[in-house]
Coordinates of all heavy atoms in Angstrom, one line a residue:
V39 N 110.9 34.0 -47.4 CA 110.5 34.6 -46.1 C 111.1 33.8 -44.9 O 111.6 34.4 -44.0 CB 109.0 34.7 -46.0 CG1 108.6 35.2 -44.6 CG2 108.4 35.7 -47.0
L46 N 116.2 37.3 -38.0 CA 115.6 38.5 -37.3 C 114.8 38.0 -36.1 O 114.3 36.9 -36.1 CB 114.6 39.2 -38.3 CG 115.2 40.0 -39.4 CD1 114.2 40.4 -40.4 CD2 115.9 41.3 -38.8
I48 N 112.0 38.8 -35.2 CA 110.5 39.1 -35.5 C 109.9 37.9 -36.2 O 110.6 37.0 -36.7 CB 110.4 40.4 -36.3 CG1 111.0 40.3 -37.6 CG2 110.8 41.6 -35.5 CD1 110.8 41.5 -38.5
A59 N 106.1 46.2 -47.8 CA 106.5 47.6 -47.9 C 107.6 47.8 -49.0 O 107.6 48.8 -49.7 CB 106.9 48.2 -46.6
V68 N 109.4 39.7 -56.5 CA 109.1 38.4 -56.0 C 108.8 37.5 -57.2 O 108.2 37.9 -58.1 CB 108.0 38.4 -54.9 CG1 106.7 38.9 -55.5 CG2 107.8 37.0 -54.3
H86 N 116.4 54.6 -59.4 CA 115.7 55.8 -59.2 C 116.3 56.5 -57.9 O 116.4 57.7 -57.9 CB 114.2 55.6 -59.0 CG 113.6 55.1 -60.3 ND1 113.5 55.9 -61.4 CD2 113.0 53.9 -60.6 CE1 112.9 55.2 -62.4 NE2 112.7 54.0 -61.9
F94 N 123.1 65.5 -55.6 CA 123.7 66.2 -54.5 C 125.3 66.2 -54.6 O 125.9 67.0 -54.0 CB 123.3 65.7 -53.2 CG 121.8 65.9 -53.0 CD1 120.9 64.9 -53.2 CD2 121.3 67.2 -52.6 CE1 119.5 65.1 -53.0 CE2 120.0 67.4 -52.4 CZ 119.1 66.4 -52.6

Side-chain angles (χ1 to χ4, degrees):
V39 172
L46 286 168
I48 59 176
V68 63
H86 295 293
F94 296 98

